[in-house]
Amino acid sequence: MIDVLIAGAGPNGLMLACELALAGVRPVVLERHAAPTGEPRANGLVGQVVRLLDRRGLYARLSGESTPPSPQPAFTFGAFPLDLTMLAENPHYVLGVPQAQLEATLAARAAELGVDLRRGHEVVDLRQDPDGVEVVLADGTRLNARFLVGADGGRSAVRRLAGIAFSGVTDDRSISRTATVTVPESCLDPGTGGLRVPGYGVIPPFQHTRTPRGLITWAPFPGRPAILSTKEWPDAPVGDETPMTLAELRASAARVLGADLPVEVSDGPGLLRRLTSGNTRIADRYRAGRVLLVGDAAHVHPAIGGPGLNLGLQDAVNLGWKLAATVRGWAPQGLLDTYETERRPVAERVVMSTQAQSALIGPGDEVTGLRELFAELLRKPEVTGHIAALMSGADVHYPADPTDPLAGHCAPDVVVHGEYGPVRLAELTRTARPLLLDSTGAFAEAVAPWRDRVDVVTGPLRGTTATALLVRPDCFVAWSAGEAGTLRAALTHHFGLPAPAHSWS
């Protein structure tokens, strides 16, 4: 019997597979497409997920840089520019890589870890009992697994077959058009990289520009074709019966801006897409017996602000260690259920954020008045800081001991000054094992019964006021320095009873 079957080899399914493999579980990944589609989708990673990838050694592979990620000095929220330089602590990170590159990098990492990736296999049916799940593939093959995870997107077959409802709304009031384009050199603003439009002005790069008639976005990605997008709210619905054309996009841009935009189709493979509706939905349950959902299979929402991969990849990392602990037999009672109790509220918060932004970019004079007020508020550092934490996911706080000021929060970027010199937390978490950082060595005896599954690093800590931190595999704090008894309680709560017969390694 297979320990874990994962349906879907997108970023979330591959990330989960890597997490399981790091924890000593060898999953099988099923992907219905025979080869990567290369279809343009997400254009980058936004938020705390960038730090997470650094903590798995993947940031350098994706960015080509040897230095740690740095916060982004500016971003956008609801077509407002956010000046993040005013913040004492900026939590917002951005990594501009296309989804195809992310998937290729994660697939290569999964192969290194021994993950069995099977392309051209589509799940069409499933049956489960208390001991496992039987999966039926399109070619009639039957596979048996202890657990099945649906990472198969917003139209998830696994979610449907498991009988999990997908509650929410469909919004067909707006229409979005997107294409990869080229523009004359004379239309590029050399100072900003923006797009000069005669009769309108400059459209700044990588920001949503709103007018009372719609929204336009200009994204001149280095080394690849630029992307132009528009969004309108037409009086009458527009069907998807006819293919999208560049002339249609130009006409839309002219309506939004009140001026003609000289763009041409880019050379080579590109994107020419029209979307006439959008969904905002969250699965009623993230788990049905031995079937679980991750990423878009569990939640879909507007793409504004780019929160999708930030949410989905962190779902995968949260689920990975809990599912591995369950498979390997040392998970405490109820650990797997905390995947939903911790991650579903985060999805609800992302939905709130994207809905608020969608309202702020809408047409009409009333929205314009609301935006004037909102612009005043964003001049206050405390408001911009709140928005930045919301968009980046830095405000995520899991239920924890209320007397522990750090428990439940994402671990800070600690540096340990140990026997071999300073080491960043990001270098210590690449194995995805639980980790005790102990500045004095005072907790060695308390943690000893859990050393089969918890690593210990001793040395002075910089970047935190705590003298010791217990860090979960998903890089959230399980406990910060208190009495040895509270450490043992935290170890038991998160990592089960000490059981030398069960070894993580």
Side-chain angles (χ1 to χ4, degrees):
M1 178 179 286
I2 298 166
D3 282 331
V4 180
L5 269 175
I6 301 172
N12 301 316
L14 291 169
M15 190 73 185
L16 175 60
C18 291
E19 292 295 297
L20 290 169
L22 285 168
V25 174
R26 293 292 178 264
V28 173
V29 181
L30 305 175
E31 170 55 50
R32 66 186 182 91
H33 293 292
T37 65
E39 178 184 345
R41 292 184 181 177
N43 292 299
L45 296 139
V46 176
Q48 293 292 294
V49 69
V50 177
R51 295 173 69 210
L52 176 63
L53 292 173
D54 182 40
R55 291 174 171 184
R56 289 296 188 263
L58 294 167
Y59 174 78
R61 295 191 186 197
L62 289 163
S63 67
E65 300 175 2
S66 59
T67 54
S70 299
Q72 188 81 0
F75 201 64
T76 181
F77 177 86
F80 287 98
L82 291 179
D83 177 12
L84 303 178
T85 62
M86 70 170 70
L87 304 181
E89 295 185 11
N90 180 0
H92 206 67
Y93 294 78
V94 175
L95 177 58
V97 295
Q99 183 166 323
Q101 180 186 345
L102 174 63
E103 289 183 7
T105 300
L106 289 172
R109 178 58 175 152
E112 293 170 5
L113 294 170
V115 171
D116 184 356
L117 172 56
R118 304 177 187 179
R119 296 190 182 273
H121 295 276
E122 182 177 3
V123 175
V124 296
D125 200 3
L126 67 86
R127 300 176 185 86
Q128 63 169 314
D129 58 36
D131 298 318
V133 185
E134 182 186 59
V135 171
V136 182
L137 305 184
D139 64 1
T141 300
R142 294 174 183 268
L143 299 173
N144 291 287
R146 296 178 66 183
F147 291 93
L148 169 66
V149 180
D152 49 344
R155 295 182 174 88
S156 170
V158 171
R159 183 187 63 237
R160 173 177 53 81
L161 293 167
I164 299 175
F166 205 33
S167 302
V169 296
T170 297
D171 179 7
D172 57 3
R173 296 173 299 166
S174 65
I175 177 168
S176 300
R177 300 173 175 90
T178 304
T180 47
V181 300
T182 61
V183 299
E185 193 72 26
S186 59
C187 290
L188 297 177
D189 184 65
T192 65
L195 187 59
R196 288 177 174 167
V197 181
Y200 173 79
V202 175
I203 301 173
F206 302 109
Q207 292 186 19
H208 300 294
T209 298
R210 184 227 179 229
T211 76
R213 298 169 297 279
L215 194 75
I216 190 164
T217 307
W218 164 247
F221 294 101
R224 51 192 172 111
I227 293 179
L228 182 72
S229 299
T230 65
K231 185 169 187 174
E232 297 178 90
W233 290 262
D235 295 331
V238 178
D240 286 325
E241 297 80 11
T242 59
M244 162 81 168
T245 65
L246 182 66
E248 181 182 332
L249 177 64
R250 289 185 64 168
S252 174
R255 289 191 296 270
V256 171
L257 298 173
D260 186 52
L261 185 59
V263 296
E264 301 293 339
V265 176
S266 62
D267 295 332
L271 174 65
L272 202 59
R273 181 176 65 202
R274 179 200 306 118
L275 297 176
T276 56
S277 64
N279 285 300
T280 298
R281 298 180 183 276
I282 302 179
D284 287 4
R285 294 175 289 161
Y286 280 23
R287 179 187 181 189
R290 290 182 173 267
V291 178
L292 298 109
L293 305 176
V294 71
D296 289 355
H299 42 69
V300 294
H301 47 77
I304 187 168
L309 287 172
N310 190 30
L311 180 59
L313 290 173
Q314 293 195 77
D315 284 349
V317 175
N318 184 288
L319 175 60
W321 71 275
K322 297 172 181 177
L323 186 53
T326 304
V327 168
R328 300 203 62 180
W330 57 258
Q333 184 69 29
L335 178 67
L336 193 55
D337 289 327
T338 67
Y339 166 58
E340 177 175 338
T341 58
E342 289 186 347
R343 293 304 298 171
R344 199 175 192 280
V346 182
E348 292 171 347
R349 193 156 175 76
V350 168
V351 164
M352 177 272 288
S353 169
T354 56
Q355 288 180 326
Q357 291 183 76
S358 295
L360 285 167
I361 65 174
D365 293 339
E366 299 90 343
V367 175
T368 299
L370 175 64
R371 291 180 61 84
E372 291 176 359
L373 173 61
F374 209 83
E376 291 181 13
L377 295 174
L378 286 175
R379 287 194 282 271
K380 299 178 179 292
E382 61 272 26
V383 176
T384 293
H386 185 89
I387 295 295
L390 169 65
M391 294 193 70
S392 67
D395 61 353
V396 172
H397 178 203
Y398 298 144
D401 180 356
T403 66
D404 188 330
L406 297 179
H409 293 273
C410 188
D413 288 324
V414 174
V415 176
V416 183
H417 292 260
E419 180 181 356
Y420 301 104
V423 182
R424 294 193 302 129
L425 178 65
E427 298 171 81
L428 299 171
T429 55
R430 293 177 183 178
T431 60
R433 285 171 57 88
L435 180 66
L436 177 68
L437 305 178
D438 185 355
S439 64
T440 64
F443 298 100
E445 182 179 350
V447 78
W450 285 267
R451 287 299 300 269
D452 62 317
R453 71 200 75 155
V454 179
D455 289 339
V456 178
V457 178
T458 303
L461 306 180
R462 300 291 181 268
T464 179
T465 57
T467 56
L469 292 172
L470 180 63
V471 181
R472 305 181 343 176
D474 58 358
C475 297
F476 276 74
V477 176
W479 169 91
S480 63
E483 299 297 325
T486 62
L487 172 58
R488 283 189 287 267
L491 287 161
T492 303
H493 178 75
H494 289 89
F495 311 125
L497 294 170
H502 297 292
S503 172
W504 184 290
S505 57

